[in-house]
Amino acid sequence: MSDDPDDNKIEAALSAEPLSRAIGERYLTYALSTIMHRALPDARDGLKPVHRRIPTS
């Protein structure tokens, strides 16, 4: 490792957050994204993305 003070600040910032909190925040972000993109109907036609797909035979 180098003796650069910026490297020490980065290491401190990366290890300062508890794992359970980091996982919780990232899961919440993922869950909200999933709800917005999959579960809510589109305002234009009222269809969810799964209903808009064209079935292939």
Side-chain angles (χ1 to χ4, degrees), residues 13-51:
L14 291 177
S15 62
E17 187 174 19
L19 182 60
S20 60
R21 181 176 172 192
I23 290 173
E25 289 177 2
R26 281 144 183 92
Y27 180 76
L28 180 62
T29 301
Y30 167 75
L32 291 174
S33 174
T34 300
I35 289 170
M36 293 301 295
H37 291 105
R38 295 185 190 172
L40 296 178
D42 193 342
R44 296 173 290 182
D45 56 10
L47 295 176
K48 296 179 184 179
V50 69
H51 298 119

